[in-house]
Amino acid sequence: MKSINPDDFRVFDKIELSKIPTELPIDTDDDEKKEELLKIQQKLSKRQDAMYAHNKHAVLICLQGMDTSGKDSLIREVFKEFNPRGVVVHSFKTPNSTELEHDYLWRHYLALPEKGKFAVFNRTHYENVLVTRVHPEYILFENLPGIEKVEDITPKFWENRMGQINNFEKHISQNGTLVLKFYFHMSKDEQRKRLLKRLENPEDNWKFSTGDLKERERWDDYMKCYEEAINNTSKEHAPWFIIPADDKEMARVIVAKIIWEEMQKLTDIKEPELDPKVKENIEVYRKQLESE
């Protein structure tokens, strides 16, 4: 398979989503992709074990994309070789009454990974500058000072909120959390096909929601909001990667490869060494246990 360079997907400068392809022109079959993914899965699993034992770093994986873009299946496939104790997945839904009594980042702070662990945010704190921007009436539920009606929500409000998100990510990055953000860039036509599949296959019917169709009507609005959010929040300490998502198998390989490559930058990770006194007496301890 053609070598994947993470920098080809990383957002360094301002981007226009309409000019970025939703599928890579790579001539490879699904078996090759699955084989490549398995290799990376196994390497990631070993690296995660070492990180868990090292207990100084954490990794936050943020997944964003339109409905049916493949986030759920990617989580299942990319992290399947991980030790379950080392990875936790959070899917953020509409804030509940308790969450609305706090600032919008509160629930995300609570879900941050412990040292040595991965956390995967399936939909993330960016919903607060995406869904709420397309539907600004949702902001009224946050009961914010000075926001009494939708007209009170100015462009400066969104600018400030993206600045707050940058500060949040910078803070956790400086305290040992590797932050990697992935936008699943899917074409509108591909979404149409996937929604049809949910309707046509009885075993997939449960995945379909009429809400998906309502949000699909706002596709252009979402693209505009995604573009602005990515352009304002892709930083060295918390980069965005735009993943061509029309091919789910290829998207999984790309994301896994990027995670692997970015983890190589954590050069201090190593498994802790056994205490010299314990190491010196391993044979004594072994004989003691064998004699029981």
Side-chain angles (χ1 to χ4, degrees):
M1 179 182 289
K2 180 182 176 182
S3 179
I4 294 170
N5 181 358
D7 283 350
D8 291 341
F9 307 93
R10 186 170 183 152
V11 176
F12 292 101
D13 302 305
K14 300 295 182 184
I15 55 95
E16 292 182 46
L17 287 175
S18 62
K19 296 181 178 180
I20 298 176
T22 57
E23 189 168 4
L24 287 184
I26 294 180
D27 185 20
T28 182
D29 60 34
D30 286 349
D31 287 339
E32 288 180 284
K33 296 169 195 171
K34 290 176 182 177
E35 184 179 344
E36 182 67 16
L37 179 58
L38 179 59
K39 292 177 183 177
I40 304 172
Q41 283 172 336
Q42 292 170 342
K43 291 195 296 183
L44 275 175
S45 176
K46 291 179 181 179
R47 188 68 169 164
Q48 189 275 321
D49 277 342
M51 188 182 80
Y52 184 87
H54 185 63
N55 199 40
K56 291 185 182 296
H57 295 280
V59 179
L60 174 61
I61 305 296
C62 298
L63 307 180
Q64 283 287 161
M66 296 294 283
D67 293 315
T68 77
S69 60
K71 302 182 298 297
D72 292 339
S73 59
L74 180 136
I75 293 169
R76 182 184 67 242
E77 296 300 325
V78 169
F79 298 99
K80 69 193 305 181
E81 296 294 324
F82 275 46
N83 187 321
R85 71 182 179 180
V87 59
V88 181
V89 178
H90 300 275
S91 296
F92 292 99
K93 308 294 185 183
T94 303
N96 61 36
S97 58
T98 300
E99 291 166 342
L100 286 170
E101 289 300 315
H102 298 268
D103 72 271
Y104 69 95
L105 285 173
W106 177 76
R107 62 176 181 162
H108 302 288
Y109 266 110
L110 294 180
L112 288 174
E114 300 172 16
K115 288 182 174 66
K117 292 188 177 183
F118 274 68
V120 182
F121 284 5
N122 182 5
R123 295 191 182 279
T124 71
H125 42 292
Y126 282 93
E127 294 291 286
N128 298 285
V129 291
L130 293 168
V131 173
T132 54
R133 197 164 187 188
V134 174
H135 300 282
E137 64 274 15
Y138 295 169
I139 291 292
L140 302 181
F141 293 113
E142 296 183 25
N143 202 27
L144 296 172
I147 305 293
E148 303 296 334
K149 54 188 181 301
V150 168
E151 289 72 24
D152 295 330
I153 306 170
T154 65
K156 185 65 176 178
F157 174 89
W158 300 112
E159 181 183 334
N160 288 341
R161 185 158 279 201
M162 283 186 274
Q164 292 157 6
I165 288 173
N166 282 331
N167 290 335
F168 164 66
E169 292 172 349
K170 187 174 184 178
H171 169 69
I172 63 176
S173 173
Q174 290 177 336
N175 284 275
T177 298
L178 175 64
V179 182
L180 302 174
K181 303 176 295 192
F182 300 92
Y183 168 62
F184 289 74
H185 189 36
M186 175 183 60
S187 67
K188 191 175 183 181
D189 187 56
E190 179 62 24
Q191 189 197 53
R192 179 184 64 83
K193 293 175 183 176
R194 293 180 186 180
L195 288 172
L196 281 172
K197 183 180 178 182
R198 289 181 176 182
L199 292 172
E200 293 166 354
N201 296 339
E203 64 271 20
D204 291 330
N205 285 169
W206 67 273
K207 297 179 183 179
F208 181 79
S209 167
T210 55
D212 295 341
L213 297 181
K214 292 180 181 178
E215 295 303 283
R216 180 175 166 81
E217 292 174 359
R218 304 293 301 273
W219 183 277
D220 290 342
D221 295 328
Y222 272 105
M223 292 304 103
K224 181 180 178 181
C225 292
Y226 266 112
E227 191 172 286
E228 188 165 343
I230 291 169
N231 283 333
N232 281 282
T233 61
S234 190
K235 306 295 181 181
E236 184 177 352
H237 60 267
W240 274 104
F241 297 87
I242 298 179
I243 308 301
D246 282 2
D247 181 336
K248 286 187 178 183
E249 287 76 16
M250 194 68 234
R252 294 166 190 162
V253 174
I254 295 170
V255 170
K257 177 70 171 177
I258 290 172
I259 296 172
W260 168 251
E261 293 292 341
E262 291 298 311
M263 286 196 72
Q264 300 318 294
K265 298 176 182 179
L266 305 178
T267 55
D268 62 321
I269 291 180
K270 59 182 179 180
E271 293 185 1
E273 295 184 5
L274 197 60
D275 182 281
K277 290 184 179 179
V278 176
K279 190 173 183 179
E280 200 175 283
N281 291 286
I282 279 183
E283 191 62 25
V284 175
Y285 303 139
R286 185 182 65 79
K287 288 181 179 179
Q288 180 180 335
L289 287 167
E290 290 179 343
S291 65
E292 289 183 3

